[in-house]
Amino acid sequence: MMSNYSLATSTWGEEELSAIQAVIDSDMFTMGKYVAEYEEQFANFFGSNYALMVSSGSAANLLMIAAMFFTKDETRKLKRGDEIIVPAVSWSTTYFPLQQYGLKVKFVDIDRETLNIDLEKLASAITDKTKAILCVNLLGNPNDFDKIRNLIGGRNITLLEDNCESMGATYKGKYAGSFGLMGTFSSFFSHHIATMEGGCVITDDEELYHILLAIRAHGWTRNLPKENLVSGIKSDDPFEESFKFVLPGYNVRPIEMSGAIGIEQLKKLPGFIKERQDNAKKFVALFEKHEFIQIQKETAESSWFGFSLVVNESAPFSRKQLVEKLQKSGIECRPIVTGNFLKNKDVLKFFDYEVYGSLENADYIDTHGLFVGNQQISIKDSIELLLTVIDG
Ligand SMILES: Cc1ncc(COP(=O)(O)O)c(C=O)c1O
């Protein structure tokens, strides 16, 4: 069936192809100057001191959690068994590093309107045992960071952000991803920018940045500055420093082509976000008062990854019927990310976890929700088609 409304289209043009060619011409394919330049521009764009590019958003999440275990600062260091709060709806690799590092995961319900963590439930879920909150900005929508900061108050709880779906979203003029001690991004195809595979971690914290530098590449010292907060002062002997390992790390480096493509994509990002937000205006205008469909409520300025549609209680059709209708009309759609992640019983066997209260909203969107795509080009006709198909 031909697609009349696809989830995503390519964000690439001649510039990205030339960027790839430039890397080919240089004959240097492993992580190098293009990745470094991309990181610098990425950090500048999002107003953060440091950015570290990695091979995916999932790798960014993994390094973010790992770095919390390797910090020397005992006041924030995470240890096995520590409690971390997460929303019950996100992506699988938001959660997996938490399991891999032996954290006790406390799942909290989402808000049915914003689709982000329910702030009232979060308020009562926080206890003396809570060491960190991993916020997820779902489908482009930033969390209410003032409220979350207030809930944390003077307590020693680290805020981390999975911003893999919300590049370019802002809250009170500041970019989502820059509110947590660290924030992660994805540049997988269909995201706001595409390096095809790719991710980033941003932080203002120098020690965490140095840890990230080491654990991105083999846990070695090679990429660390001469004076650094992981190994101290490196020796002047390049032979000795070339294979010196200081942290139990990974190899999740990006390739040089991803960096070169990313530089071109970042230039286009403001335009991409504007188009997405323009499409959203159309979507909201058509659906905000719909009798049977509830759409996502913006907390601040969403970058609108996609458009969620949740079939409400009074609708004369089920989600299944809606999906069939959309599919017949060539409108691609997907579940609202993992839906209620807790339904994945097989993988949960490996977790040390607790469910805080009921997950009624996560359950509801799991069985009644879906999302359609948004793009960096005008898709206003497709959005009109969507309404016609739903009402037809
Ligand atoms: C919330 C969230 N976190 C993490 C990821 C992982 O990103 P990647 O696909 O680049 O590994 C995704 C993927 O879309 C996501 O939606």
Side-chain angles (χ1 to χ4, degrees), residues 108-125:
V108 173
D109 203 7
I110 56 155
D111 179 298
R112 202 168 128 178
E113 294 192 320
T114 67
L115 304 182
N116 286 330
I117 197 160
D118 182 304
L119 295 178
E120 269 180 37
K121 291 177 182 168
L122 173 62
S124 47

Side-chain angles (χ1 to χ4, degrees), residues 61-128:
N61 280 344
L62 175 61
L63 292 201
M64 172 168 75
I65 297 304
M68 291 301 299
F69 279 75
F70 302 137
T71 173
K72 291 177 185 141
D73 182 344
E74 289 297 329
T75 63
R76 62 187 186 184
K77 191 184 182 77
L78 290 180
K79 299 182 192 69
R80 298 184 89 76
D82 279 350
E83 180 183 288
I84 184 163
I85 293 181
V86 286
V89 176
S90 185
W91 186 244
S92 59
T93 52
T94 306
Y95 306 117
F96 293 159
L98 315 178
Q99 184 277 339
Q100 285 150 357
Y101 275 84
L103 291 168
K104 165 113 196 222
V105 185
K106 193 187 247 186
F107 291 97
V108 173
D109 203 7
I110 56 155
D111 179 298
R112 202 168 128 178
E113 294 192 320
T114 67
L115 304 182
N116 286 330
I117 197 160
D118 182 304
L119 295 178
E120 269 180 37
K121 291 177 182 168
L122 173 62
S124 47
I126 298 172
T127 66
D128 293 347

